[in-house]
Amino acid sequence: MSQQAVNGVPCRGKVLTVENMNPNVKRVEYAVRGPIVQRAVQIEKELREGVKKPFTEVIKANIGDAHAMGQKPITFFRQVLALCSYPELLEDNKFPEDAKKRARRILGACGGHSIGAYSASQGIECIRQDVAGYIQRRDGGIPSNPDNIYLSTGASDAIVTILKLLVCGEGRERTGVMISIPQYPLYSAALADLGAVQINYYLDEDNCWSLNVAELRRALNDARQRCRPRVLCIINPGNPTGQVQSRQCIEDVIRFAKEENLFLMADEVYQDNVYADGCKFHSFKKVLFEMGEEYSSTVEMASFHSTSKCYMGECGFRGGYMEVLNMDPDVKAQLTKLVSVRLCPPVPGQALLDLVVNPPQPDEPSYASFMKERTAVLAALAEKARLTEEIFNTVPGITCNPVQGAMYTFPRIALPQKAIDKAKVCRYTPCSTRNLTPTRKRRRVCVSPAGGRRSSRHVLLYEAAGGGGNLLGARQRLRSEGRHLPLQVSLTGRFKYLTEAFTRLKENVWFSKVFRNTDLKKKNVCIYIQLQKKKGNKNPSLA
Amino acid sequence: MSVLQEISANVRNMKSMEYPVLARRTNQIQEELRKGVRKPYRDVIDVSWGDPHRAGVKPLSFVRQVLAACLYPKLMEGDRLMVDVRQRAQRLLKECAGGSIGSYSNTAGIPEIVQRVSEFITRRDGGVPCRRENIFISSGSQWALANILKVLVNSEASPRTGVLTPVPCHSTTILSLMALGAAAVPYHLTEERGWALEVEELQRALDSAKGVCSPVALYVINPGNPAGYVQNRKSMQEVIRFAAEKRLFLLADEVYQDCVYGKTEFVSYKRALAEMGPPLSETVELASFHTASKGLMGECGLRAGYVELVNLDPAVMKHINSLFSTNSCAPVLGQIALDVMTNPPQPGDPSYPLYMKETQHIRTSLAENVRRVEEVVNSLPGFSCQPVEGGAFAFPTVFLPPKAIERAKEVGMKPDTFYCLRLLEEAGLLFSPGTEYGQKEGTYHIRFCIMIPLDVMEELLRRLSGFHKRFMKEFS
């Protein structure tokens, strides 16, 4: 962008341009806050300005932000933090004693008794001790050394710090970092920023997003030609997939990491978010130690946790930590040096973390209400996980794996070719912007068992014009597979057709509930029908 | 065989600081004191960081009340808190997603807070317009600086990217540069002239970079850290012209803008630039940094800072936005502190009298501290202290006797670190050696924070005087 000389002073182009800026930064994309979110913000602006749309608000379900969606904070935590912020409140008798006790302890560990003082870069010492204590209790007594704990500005900060430390080498010796596909885009962004080589290993969608060591091996061997693989990142419970790794799987991964001499990064920020029956959170550290000294004294690992998720949902505090294991002491000294550049993590986040690892105990006054709130939050999340999977699986073209844990659902959407083509023209990747829009020519009838938690298979039918007979056929088929009423049917298509099909339905089966949903373009109508016996069964699913 | 024998060369090359040695010894001494070991002092006075609260300065009531109300809205029931506190907290909570400070905010910060920060900047700069799209709130100003440096520094380039940095300069910025694989190109401030920044020296520094690295930016700290200067307009205009001529990106670290004690008023680089008019005002690319960690609030632990970007290429701004977005957002409590800092209680507000009382007290103490420091330190033989016009520190020169320098060499320490360690051991004062910040070869300095309570300052000066006389005698 050159400009004309004014007053004899030549005005050349910008000093900092897209051409001469750091090329790595150009590659950084963070979808969670990317172009779609920007468009959402624009749409919200338009709504405020009175532009008419088929909806009155944008529901921002793109980010794991529980409070933004109405989840309430844990009272006890907020009480202690208020006391820490304004210690005059310690005189107030409206605060319970256990809250005051913790506030006093935290303030005592702060410079000048203020949360406004810098802390040590690694984090306030007594809080690191409490974190170590928590880890030890969580892992059935396996010792945790406070010196190995680094408090951080959210788990993301710690993750990026470790990557900064590890990524080195040039050309074909450049560090390769293995990350799951699908992944949480912080990893790809950080790797792009650092100029590291991203090595993708694919989770198995057909098997509930499970992790396969054979796939890890494939990815690693492929990558060896173009980089030096040194790091393996696992997110457990998974983001965005929600899968909770089995103990066996974790053992296999650890074995693999040891064989291939990889540094393990275990992102465990969703460790309290486990919903599915039969699933349990196993910390990588615990499994490592239970595999015996051969592993526990050699495998180098960092585990990450945060105050942003689980039942706390306190994203805005930017609290988190990592525990490093078996790190070379010289390297650890470098890590300590590196974290000092950030000065220190936010002290309120450190204080909050202290409360998370040191919650009210059964003999304390706040215990009952704390447990009530915690249980309610986790139960609500579990219910939403179940409901989401169920509802999505009733929609034609959407298949949804069970949400075993974490805070997301990641259904698969079958995009019609036309949508994909249109997306290419609009320069979006197909799945990023287009919702399923049934084609005008096809009408779909989708029949699936209602209420089942693992209704992973459903019958998708293409209903010819004027049809209705297929519906019965579908029902018979499902029945023969052992699936009986109640059934859910969703019909999408032109209104005229639906009226027809509906009439035929009425003739053939009983139904109890009808939902109607009009999509944005008002061309296609979606009817969800619940079919069940006339008397008796109350289907608890769709409300 | 450890996986991690090989780590990032940039991280390895980051210089080690002197601070850990002193910090470790401080922890030991504090432990000994707790156990009842007798020492010539009853506590360690830690003035090694620009951390007012650590030294005993009290937080401002208004901001803490607002924070408490935002954290635990139930506090707003009844009249426990003043009306303006409640109103502020309620407005802030409405501006948070889901009405909770626990939710993420937009990348650059809560939009209404960013808007108010931009209005503050305009007021501060006598009406120079400020676009809110150019502001990013971050977890401390150094975080924002690191992000901007990241965009400027091409770690794969050969020769390396260079950034002109002052000598002396606080170490965090230098470490950030090293972590990115950039080269710091030092330009010396002229101590005898009150740490003045001279353009000839900038030119010399730039010339020295030829063939060594490729300078892209000029980093200035105003008011200074560790040296306590405040630049005058003329000097700033020279810097701006230099940056424009040599095509350097201007990084203005202005976090101490509220800490000004001398005759020179603080003028922001943005204002100075705007006053120079086009074409410079429309072309010089500038990043200006501020924080809630310093000034009267001193809320270092909350981690709240911001950067204002001026005249940047819009395409580059998009990438900067992406980069900031990977940090999610700045801590919300910190954003609230920034909001209060840029919009404090006004005359007529119920909280105004107390706010005025508290801030006046801090201002008066600081002015008195500065006066006392200059008085006492300059009266001690072997010390020479330039006027502390602004900033959070005194940075006197110590004329170490040759014997002391030798002793330091014998124990493998830098002479000023040796002095500081002895000062810690014998007087319970934790200062910071000039080595940490860079200094002219053969000169030695010590840095200590002056944003401390009056009585602590008196105690500090008493102990320092006693120790210094003894030390000088011992090594004479």
Side-chain angles (χ1 to χ4, degrees):
Chain A
M1 279 165 52
S2 61
Q3 294 166 299
Q4 291 170 351
V6 177
N7 294 339
V9 179
C11 307
R12 283 162 279 165
K14 295 284 183 191
V15 166
L16 180 60
T17 63
V18 175
E19 285 74 41
N20 67 16
M21 67 177 272
N22 183 345
N24 287 343
V25 172
K26 282 193 281 202
R27 292 194 277 269
V28 169
E29 274 174 0
Y30 183 58
V32 181
R33 286 167 177 262
I36 298 178
V37 178
Q38 288 160 14
R39 178 70 191 122
V41 170
Q42 245 181 328
I43 290 175
E44 280 179 319
K45 185 157 175 270
E46 290 167 19
L47 283 168
R48 273 196 302 272
E49 288 165 356
V51 175
K52 280 222 158 281
K53 292 189 184 287
F55 46 83
T56 52
E57 57 165 335
V58 176
I59 299 177
K60 296 223 196 77
N62 61 308
I63 194 168
D65 191 344
H67 288 204
M69 302 306 273
Q71 181 176 305
K72 295 283 162 254
I74 301 290
T75 306
F76 182 75
F77 293 166
R78 292 303 189 86
Q79 286 173 332
V80 178
L81 290 162
L83 288 165
C84 288
S85 295
Y86 190 49
E88 273 81 336
L89 293 170
L90 287 163
E91 315 296 318
D92 189 327
N93 58 13
K94 292 209 189 69
F95 286 88
E97 266 317 305
D98 47 1
K100 290 185 182 177
K101 187 167 141 218
R102 278 175 182 70
R104 286 194 183 99
R105 182 160 174 276
I106 291 168
L107 288 172
C110 294
H113 282 70
S114 165
I115 56 167
Y118 286 121
S119 78
S121 301
Q122 203 172 331
I124 294 173
E125 193 177 335
C126 76
I127 297 182
R128 287 189 288 113
Q129 285 166 357
D130 289 349
V131 169
Y134 158 81
I135 294 171
Q136 200 159 314
R137 284 187 307 272
R138 179 198 70 187
D139 293 342
I142 295 165
S144 173
N145 184 347
D147 277 342
N148 290 338
I149 311 280
Y150 288 77
L151 305 191
S152 55
T153 307
S156 303
D157 174 29
I159 290 167
V160 170
T161 298
I162 290 286
L163 288 172
K164 255 191 217 164
L165 185 72
L166 302 186
V167 172
C168 61
E170 311 281 327
R172 281 187 52 178
E173 289 296 302
R174 192 75 179 154
T175 301
V177 177
M178 298 182 71
I179 181 65
S180 59
I181 296 298
Q183 50 117 23
Y184 170 49
L186 170 76
Y187 288 90
S188 50
L191 296 177
D193 181 11
L194 291 167
V197 177
Q198 181 172 331
I199 303 171
N200 296 332
Y201 64 87
Y202 291 82
L203 301 176
D204 188 355
E205 184 166 12
D206 292 332
N207 274 307
C208 221
W209 299 112
S210 61
L211 199 167
N212 218 311
V213 175
E215 167 58 15
L216 287 179
R217 207 174 295 282
R218 177 212 62 78
L220 184 71
N221 289 336
D222 279 351
R224 282 226 155 88
Q225 299 151 18
R226 54 192 171 96
C227 69
R228 219 173 127 222
R230 302 211 303 140
V231 186
L232 169 56
C233 300
I234 311 269
I235 311 174
N236 181 46
N239 177 358
T241 54
Q243 94 277 18
V244 177
Q245 301 299 351
S246 69
R247 204 216 143 78
Q248 182 60 51
C249 178
I250 295 177
E251 262 186 48
D252 293 342
V253 168
I254 291 173
R255 221 167 268 120
F256 176 76
K258 181 164 159 65
E259 275 162 21
E260 305 291 350
N261 219 21
L262 299 170
F263 185 89
L264 256 177
M265 288 176 68
D267 183 341
E268 298 175 326
V269 302
Y270 297 100
Q271 53 190 262
D272 291 339
N273 300 112
V274 176
Y275 318 120
D277 280 345
C279 285
K280 188 169 171 235
F281 170 73
H282 301 279
S283 82
F284 263 80
K285 184 175 174 210
K286 179 162 193 247
V287 176
L288 178 70
F289 271 73
E290 289 172 353
M291 287 168 77
E293 218 193 304
E294 185 203 341
Y295 289 91
S296 62
S297 62
T298 58
V299 174
E300 288 153 270
M301 192 168 96
S303 331
F304 305 90
H305 196 17
S306 153
T307 58
S308 303
K309 313 297 176 189
C310 294
Y311 64 93
M312 303 80 75
E314 299 278 17
C315 312
F317 278 78
R318 317 306 299 118
Y321 75 77
M322 65 173 154
E323 183 187 19
V324 299
L325 283 177
N326 295 323
M327 199 179 253
D328 179 299
D330 287 335
V331 173
K332 193 150 171 292
Q334 299 291 330
L335 172 62
T336 306
K337 190 173 66 172
L338 186 55
V339 300
S340 72
V341 181
R342 286 265 184 266
L343 292 161
C344 74
V347 176
Q350 296 188 46
L352 174 60
L353 185 63
D354 193 49
L355 301 172
V356 170
V357 300
N358 207 3
Q361 293 303 298
D363 58 337
E364 292 184 295
S366 303
Y367 180 73
S369 55
F370 167 76
M371 281 310 288
K372 185 161 169 240
E373 288 176 358
R374 181 181 189 272
T375 311
V377 166
L378 290 173
L381 285 170
E383 175 60 16
K384 288 177 210 180
R386 193 190 62 74
L387 198 66
T388 306
E389 180 206 338
E390 192 180 282
I391 295 182
F392 271 132
N393 279 324
T394 66
V395 180
I398 299 185
T399 42
C400 187
N401 269 326
V403 179
Q404 292 179 339
M407 285 165 97
Y408 313 96
T409 179
F410 196 65
R412 180 189 208 143
I413 302 183
L415 291 173
Q417 190 56 45
K418 269 194 169 180
I420 297 173
D421 294 339
K422 179 95 186 271
K424 283 189 184 140
V425 169
C426 301
R427 287 193 296 170
Y428 287 120
T429 50
C431 57
S432 64
T433 55
R434 294 296 182 227
N435 293 318
L436 173 68
T437 309
T439 60
R440 283 171 229 174
K441 289 187 183 145
R442 287 175 167 178
R443 298 159 191 126
R444 293 203 178 109
V445 174
C446 167
V447 184
S448 56
R453 190 175 293 174
R454 288 178 186 269
S455 49
S456 49
R457 296 267 173 244
H458 54 254
V459 179
L460 188 66
L461 305 169
Y462 296 103
E463 182 77 352
N470 260 353
L471 192 62
L472 276 174
R475 186 167 142 240
Q476 268 155 14
R477 196 158 106 201
L478 282 167
R479 226 164 160 187
S480 69
E481 285 173 11
R483 288 171 172 161
H484 302 270
L485 286 172
L487 289 178
Q488 259 150 233
V489 180
S490 62
L491 307 172
T492 59
R494 286 294 181 90
F495 187 72
K496 180 182 152 209
Y497 148 71
L498 284 175
T499 325
E500 242 173 52
F502 200 61
T503 318
R504 282 171 197 275
L505 265 177
K506 266 162 68 171
E507 291 163 12
N508 291 295
V509 292
W510 295 276
F511 62 92
S512 69
K513 260 186 183 174
V514 181
F515 318 88
R516 182 175 149 159
N517 220 355
T518 311
D519 88 345
L520 297 183
K521 301 223 189 305
K522 294 203 174 164
K523 285 180 191 147
N524 293 304
V525 179
C526 234
I527 296 185
Y528 296 86
I529 303 170
Q530 197 127 296
L531 309 176
Q532 59 188 50
K533 294 188 184 152
K534 248 186 180 164
K535 284 201 275 207
N537 303 341
K538 186 175 189 299
N539 194 307
S541 57
L542 284 178
Chain B
M1 181 52 177
S2 167
V3 166
L4 297 185
Q5 286 299 330
E6 279 174 63
I7 61 162
S8 158
N10 291 340
V11 175
R12 262 207 204 288
N13 292 336
M14 283 165 68
K15 64 167 189 174
S16 291
M17 290 176 60
E18 306 292 300
Y19 177 70
V21 162
L22 294 162
R24 257 195 308 275
R25 187 65 195 125
T26 303
N27 286 340
Q28 283 168 352
I29 291 174
Q30 280 167 335
E31 191 53 40
E32 289 167 22
L33 283 168
R34 260 194 298 272
K35 289 198 179 120
V37 174
R38 290 208 66 206
K39 291 192 186 289
Y41 46 85
R42 54 170 204 286
D43 58 3
V44 173
I45 299 178
D46 180 354
V47 279
S48 58
W49 290 99
D51 190 347
H53 293 197
R54 174 176 294 270
V57 174
K58 294 277 159 262
L60 298 178
S61 300
F62 182 75
V63 65
R64 291 307 188 86
Q65 289 166 350
V66 169
L67 286 174
C70 290
L71 278 159
Y72 189 51
K74 208 153 169 250
L75 277 174
M76 294 194 271
E77 289 167 15
D79 288 325
R80 217 212 169 286
L81 296 170
M82 302 253 207
V83 136
D84 51 351
V85 171
R86 298 201 304 264
Q87 281 169 350
R88 185 77 70 108
Q90 276 156 4
R91 178 178 72 181
L92 285 162
L93 286 172
K94 274 210 195 76
E95 293 164 354
C96 294
S100 164
I101 52 163
S103 53
Y104 286 118
S105 79
N106 284 11
T107 294
I110 293 173
E112 291 86 347
I113 294 182
V114 175
Q115 175 62 34
R116 292 192 287 268
V117 169
S118 76
E119 288 164 8
F120 153 79
I121 293 172
T122 302
R123 283 194 306 273
R124 177 198 69 184
D125 293 342
V128 176
C130 173
R131 292 186 64 227
R132 65 185 242 193
E133 293 76 25
N134 291 338
I135 297 173
F136 290 89
I137 301 179
S138 56
S139 190
S141 62
Q142 282 291 317
W143 193 303
L145 175 61
N147 277 352
I148 302 301
L149 285 173
K150 210 180 273 192
V151 180
L152 286 164
V153 174
N154 187 342
S155 43
E156 288 156 27
S158 187
R160 289 194 294 165
T161 309
V163 176
L164 272 69
T165 54
V167 177
C169 177
H170 68 100
S171 32
T172 315
T173 302
I174 308 288
L175 287 172
S176 274
L177 277 174
M178 291 176 144
L180 290 168
V185 181
Y187 62 88
H188 290 262
L189 303 175
T190 311
E191 182 167 6
E192 313 82 70
R193 283 200 274 280
W195 300 106
L197 198 170
E198 286 165 354
V199 175
E200 298 77 36
E201 173 56 19
L202 286 178
Q203 183 62 56
R204 182 213 59 78
L206 201 60
D207 292 337
S208 75
K210 281 203 178 75
V212 178
C213 66
S214 177
V216 302
L218 167 57
Y219 176 70
V220 295
I221 313 174
N222 181 45
N225 175 2
Y229 56 83
V230 176
Q231 271 190 295
N232 60 35
R233 250 190 188 82
K234 179 162 168 288
S235 172
M236 293 170 74
Q237 287 168 354
E238 286 173 355
V239 168
I240 290 170
R241 250 180 237 112
F242 183 82
E245 252 174 73
K246 308 296 174 179
R247 291 182 60 70
L248 295 168
F249 190 99
L250 195 48
L251 298 161
D253 187 338
E254 301 177 315
V255 300
Y256 292 105
Q257 53 188 266
D258 292 331
C259 309
V260 177
Y261 322 113
K263 293 191 210 78
T264 316
E265 227 184 51
F266 169 77
V267 173
S268 75
Y269 262 91
K270 175 147 177 252
R271 183 174 188 171
L273 179 63
E275 288 170 352
M276 291 171 87
L280 289 171
S281 61
E282 283 159 16
T283 55
V284 173
E285 288 149 71
L286 166 69
S288 156
F289 301 88
H290 194 16
T291 180
S293 299
K294 313 298 173 189
L296 302 165
M297 291 219 328
E299 297 282 8
C300 311
L302 296 185
R303 316 313 293 118
Y306 73 76
V307 59
E308 183 193 4
L309 298 163
V310 182
N311 291 331
L312 264 70
D313 183 322
V316 174
M317 284 296 279
K318 282 209 180 78
H319 288 295
I320 290 178
N321 194 68
S322 284
L323 196 57
F324 272 90
S325 77
T326 63
N327 305 137
S328 296
C329 67
V332 175
L333 286 183
Q335 296 188 42
I336 291 174
L338 258 185
D339 191 50
V340 172
M341 183 187 88
T342 54
N343 291 277
Q346 293 302 301
D349 293 346
S351 301
Y352 184 71
L354 180 59
Y355 174 79
M356 269 315 280
K357 180 161 168 249
E358 290 173 343
T359 51
Q360 256 322 100
H361 175 75
I362 295 174
R363 279 202 195 91
T364 326
S365 312
L366 274 176
E368 178 62 11
N369 281 351
V370 167
R371 195 189 66 78
R372 284 292 288 151
V373 165
E374 287 175 2
E375 192 177 67
V376 171
V377 170
N378 280 325
S379 73
L380 290 167
F383 263 142
S384 161
C385 191
Q386 290 297 308
V388 180
E389 301 240 295
F393 306 98
F395 193 62
T397 298
V398 190
F399 298 101
L400 291 173
K403 281 196 182 158
I405 297 174
E406 250 181 69
R407 176 74 64 85
K409 283 206 176 85
E410 281 167 28
V411 297
M413 270 192 207
K414 298 268 164 41
D416 40 13
T417 309
F418 175 67
Y419 181 94
C420 287
L421 197 57
R422 290 288 294 269
L423 179 65
L424 173 65
E425 289 284 358
E426 295 173 22
L429 293 176
L430 181 55
F431 283 21
S432 197
T435 299
E436 209 81 290
Y437 312 100
Q439 51 204 350
K440 261 212 187 97
E441 187 68 41
T443 66
Y444 304 103
H445 299 79
I446 50 171
R447 183 189 89 161
F448 60 98
C449 179
I450 55 159
M451 295 176 76
I452 66 183
L454 276 169
D455 54 344
V456 178
M457 181 54 91
E458 280 309 313
E459 175 66 11
L460 181 155
L461 291 171
R462 189 188 64 78
R463 292 192 203 175
L464 177 63
S465 304
F467 166 81
H468 184 71
K469 290 184 184 131
R470 285 193 305 272
F471 184 90
M472 289 310 221
K473 194 156 168 226
E474 184 185 334
F475 291 101
S476 62

